[in-house]
Amino acid sequence: MPAPPISWCSKEHERIYMQWFDIADSDGDGRITGNDATKFFALSKLSRQELKQVWGLAESKRQGFLDFTEFLTAMQLVSLAQAGHKLTSDILKNGAHMENIEPPSMEGLDAFATKNKGSTTNSEPAVNGSTLQSQTLSSARWFTKKSSKTPASSVTSIIDGLKRMYTEKLKPLEATYRFNDFGSPLLTNSDFDAKPIVMLLGQYSTGKTTFIKHLLRCDYPGAHIGPEPTTDRFVVVMSGPDERSIPGNTIAVHADMPFSGLTTFGGAFLSKFECSQMPHPLLDQITFVDTPGVLSGEEHRTQRRYDFTGVMSWFAAKCDLILLLFDPRRLDISDEFKRVISSLRGNDDKIRVVLNKADQVDTQELARVSVALKWSLGKVLNTPEVVRVYIGSFNDKPINEAVVGERRKLFEKEQDDLLMDLINIPKKACDRRINEFVKRAKAARIHAYIISHLKKKMPSMMGKAKAQRRLINNLEDEFAKVSLSSLSLSRFSHFLGYTCVLTYHHCNTGPKAIPSTGRRFPKCGALPGGLKQIRHR
């Protein structure tokens, strides 16, 4: 994982870029939007094509705005372009080369600052003959939550656009038909603003905790490693100002964390849930979820005092990537592990399979294990496609050269491929948000049709309980009746879940008619088109 650009910059240059960031940030919300960048970057006198390349390389998270770290990278790229270098993605990987770059020439910076901020600068000399504001902003401002909130009417990024679309269009429909009782809870701002999440699943001693430590290259609070089941709880490893562990009940009610939906699993689960925070450049981009090792046997499943499979399914819906780890010496898939993998259906595109500790078996045995694993997973995932399996040994121990031999290059290439998947997660995070939003919108629309249809079948006065029992017993047939030309019957595959919920709810929840599509809820096909209205340069 490449180091963030902030580490490639001297303290003196960092101070200059902080002042420039403040000048370019016209509304003081702690981010440079497309409009802000267009005006400020024009001072560099680069061509429009070059500035387009600068924006594309610097805006790695694809959110439609630059934070301070991305702005710093953009300024370094502008310097390189002014020096005649060709801008490519490879240029960002040379940290030593970037460290010696002087700030770019920005013509008319003084006049721009006066016009943009309505204030004048003092006579302190600055780079390129311009002057800079005398007041040096505290560096803490750029690495803490922004102080001012962007109003809903001001859409400056794709994420802001999704928030506004959800608040104005989708959330009212979900509340009207109580979608949160049948599907996932109502979304909050923290669900949209959360960093990409990577979840690690596997049976005990497959190297889940060691894998995270291998990527971080250090221990994190609450990490326990051993041959026996050591991780007995769900641990969220995320960025924080200092090293500490936060109990599950605390983070479940924290407004800035996207874990409020976990309160539905009760106190028994929250006592087995915690957050591990530490300052780390990788955690500034990605959050990891370490899970308890899945045990074998029915008796172990019944000892859990919470819905283990349900929690896994909840996290799977939130995650951007799911890593299934296997040990070549313990390749059997237990009954509980089968249930867990089955609960991941619908998130198949997020799953990556890792055959860890591959240096502990010889070449012939590794070939047999790899084929057997693909065959077993094909049966569990119920798919004819062959699953891609990453083979390697993801830990900090030296590789057993006597056993590995010529396979060392294979392990290194496999590790590079997997790490590239992880590196690309922040770049694809915004696309993932859009994808999940569209999926949720389709599910909410179908839910509204179902509830509306069931309410029409309910009597207005007498015999409601009997009519509801009849509808529940024939729910699959009722789903078939709901099928319309615009709604595929194949989407109604979770009627068993509706049966469980409707047993404790009245079918007369919600109105009998779907709200006007144009006024209350856009058709699913129109959602991507609506995103074009968001200013994203």
Side-chain angles (χ1 to χ4, degrees):
M1 185 69 64
I6 189 69
S7 64
W8 302 339
C9 176
S10 67
K11 293 295 183 182
E12 179 184 358
H13 291 171
E14 180 183 336
R15 179 178 66 86
I16 294 172
Y17 290 135
M18 283 182 180
Q19 294 171 336
W20 287 9
F21 186 92
D22 184 54
I23 293 173
D25 183 13
S26 58
D27 55 2
D29 64 350
R31 57 189 184 181
I32 305 299
T33 64
N35 284 339
D36 293 335
T38 300
K39 297 174 183 176
F40 186 79
F41 289 1
L43 302 178
S44 66
K45 303 303 179 182
L46 293 178
S47 67
R48 184 177 181 85
Q49 181 61 30
E50 289 174 315
L51 292 179
K52 184 178 180 181
Q53 288 180 302
V54 168
W55 177 272
L57 291 172
E59 202 253 309
S60 57
K61 299 176 185 177
R62 301 295 185 264
Q63 292 184 338
F65 61 86
L66 303 178
D67 58 22
F68 175 68
T69 303
E70 293 170 328
F71 175 79
L72 190 152
T73 302
M75 290 293 95
Q76 292 175 326
L77 290 170
V78 169
S79 283
L80 291 173
Q82 289 179 342
H85 292 275
K86 185 177 181 181
L87 299 181
T88 64
S89 57
D90 294 335
I91 205 168
L92 296 176
K93 299 177 182 179
N94 191 355
H97 179 62
M98 298 282 280
E99 186 176 5
N100 301 320
I101 298 177
E102 293 293 326
S105 172
M106 308 296 286
E107 296 184 15
L109 181 61
D110 239 358
F112 182 87
T114 302
K115 179 180 178 181
N116 211 36
K117 292 294 182 181
S119 61
T120 57
T121 58
N122 66 2
S123 58
E124 178 186 351
V127 181
N128 309 317
S130 300
T131 59
L132 296 171
Q133 293 176 320
S134 59
Q135 183 180 6
T136 301
L137 300 174
S138 171
S139 61
R141 170 182 172 184
W142 312 113
F143 302 101
T144 55
K145 188 174 180 66
K146 51 183 179 286
S147 57
S148 60
K149 294 183 178 179
T150 304
S153 59
S154 176
V155 177
T156 58
S157 71
I158 290 179
I159 298 300
D160 283 343
L162 291 178
K163 288 181 186 178
R164 181 177 178 182
M165 202 177 296
Y166 178 75
T167 302
E168 296 180 358
K169 302 291 185 179
L170 189 53
K171 188 175 181 179
L173 187 93
E174 293 184 357
T176 300
Y177 290 93
R178 300 179 67 172
F179 180 67
N180 56 304
D181 291 336
F182 295 81
S184 61
L186 298 176
L187 299 181
T188 63
N189 284 342
S190 60
D191 292 307
F192 291 96
D193 296 330
K195 295 182 178 69
I197 299 176
V198 176
M199 179 170 66
L200 289 86
L201 292 179
Q203 301 184 99
Y204 72 92
S205 296
T206 54
K208 298 184 296 296
T209 304
T210 304
F211 185 92
I212 297 177
K213 289 180 60 177
H214 176 64
L215 293 178
L216 299 179
R217 301 191 182 280
C218 63
D219 288 329
Y220 59 86
H224 302 288
I225 297 175
E228 74 285 353
T230 51
T231 303
D232 64 342
R233 59 191 63 234
F234 288 79
V235 181
V236 175
V237 187
M238 62 191 307
S239 177
D242 52 11
E243 294 189 9
R244 59 174 177 167
S245 294
I246 306 175
N249 285 282
T250 302
I251 61 176
V253 296
H254 200 297
D256 294 332
M257 295 186 180
F259 305 114
S260 58
L262 292 172
T263 56
T264 58
F265 295 101
F269 164 73
L270 294 177
S271 65
K272 295 292 185 181
F273 177 50
E274 69 177 36
C275 174
S276 177
Q277 286 190 337
M278 62 180 294
H280 195 282
L282 176 57
L283 297 179
D284 289 337
Q285 306 292 328
I286 299 175
T287 295
F288 292 95
V289 177
D290 192 7
T291 62
V294 181
L295 302 175
S296 59
E298 185 71 18
E299 66 278 10
H300 294 294
R301 185 182 73 89
T302 56
Q303 288 176 5
R304 300 191 191 273
R305 295 182 296 123
Y306 60 90
D307 182 7
F308 182 73
T309 304
V311 173
M312 290 291 192
S313 180
W314 187 93
F315 272 111
K318 295 283 184 181
C319 286
D320 293 74
L321 195 69
I322 303 170
L323 297 180
L324 294 180
L325 274 73
F326 290 89
D327 187 328
R329 297 169 302 177
R330 288 192 296 269
L331 208 57
D332 61 306
I333 300 178
S334 65
D335 293 338
E336 186 177 44
F337 201 16
K338 287 180 181 178
R339 284 188 289 268
V340 169
I341 296 176
S342 298
S343 70
L344 304 180
R345 288 176 183 169
N347 300 286
D348 306 62
D349 58 320
K350 305 177 184 179
I351 298 176
R352 304 290 186 273
V353 181
V354 179
L355 183 58
N356 200 15
K357 305 181 181 180
D359 62 332
Q360 299 179 6
V361 295
D362 58 34
T363 303
Q364 185 178 18
E365 187 177 358
L366 181 60
R368 292 175 179 173
V369 166
S370 178
V371 173
L373 178 59
K374 293 178 181 180
W375 181 80
S376 300
L377 287 174
K379 293 180 63 178
V380 176
L381 294 174
N382 195 25
T383 175
E385 290 83 8
V386 177
V387 181
R388 165 68 192 272
V389 178
Y390 294 94
I391 302 173
S393 184
F394 299 91
N395 55 62
D396 296 327
K397 297 179 181 179
I399 294 178
N400 188 346
E401 295 287 354
V403 177
V404 174
E406 297 180 355
R407 290 180 294 158
R408 183 186 185 94
K409 292 183 178 179
L410 170 64
F411 289 176
E412 292 176 349
K413 190 175 186 304
E414 290 285 290
Q415 177 166 312
D416 290 343
D417 290 346
L418 181 56
L419 292 180
M420 187 56 64
D421 257 353
L422 294 174
I423 290 173
N424 289 331
I425 288 176
K427 297 179 181 179
K428 299 177 180 178
C430 194
D431 296 334
R432 176 74 65 183
R433 294 282 187 275
I434 297 173
N435 183 63
E436 295 300 319
F437 185 89
V438 173
K439 284 170 59 177
R440 185 182 182 94
K442 291 179 179 179
R445 183 166 178 255
I446 292 172
H447 171 78
Y449 274 107
I450 292 172
I451 297 301
S452 178
H453 171 79
L454 294 178
K455 184 173 182 180
K456 290 178 182 179
K457 294 289 185 178
M458 292 290 291
S460 57
M461 296 292 291
M462 306 292 292
K464 291 184 178 181
K466 184 177 179 180
Q468 179 162 333
R469 286 194 299 269
R470 185 178 67 254
L471 287 173
I472 292 175
N473 293 335
N474 300 296
L475 201 56
E476 188 172 7
D477 295 335
E478 296 300 327
F479 274 21
K481 296 177 183 177
V482 178
S483 179
L484 303 174
S485 58
S486 59
L487 297 177
S488 172
L489 185 60
S490 62
R491 295 178 181 175
F492 302 137
S493 57
H494 305 292
F495 67 91
L496 292 178
Y498 275 82
T499 301
C500 297
V501 178
L502 288 174
T503 303
Y504 303 99
H505 285 72
H506 295 294
C507 286
N508 57 358
T509 298
K512 291 184 178 180
I514 299 296
S516 173
T517 304
R519 290 182 289 110
R520 292 289 303 278
F521 183 65
K523 290 185 178 180
C524 299
L527 288 174
L531 295 174
K532 295 178 182 178
Q533 301 173 7
I534 300 171
R535 289 179 291 169
H536 178 44
R537 293 177 172 85

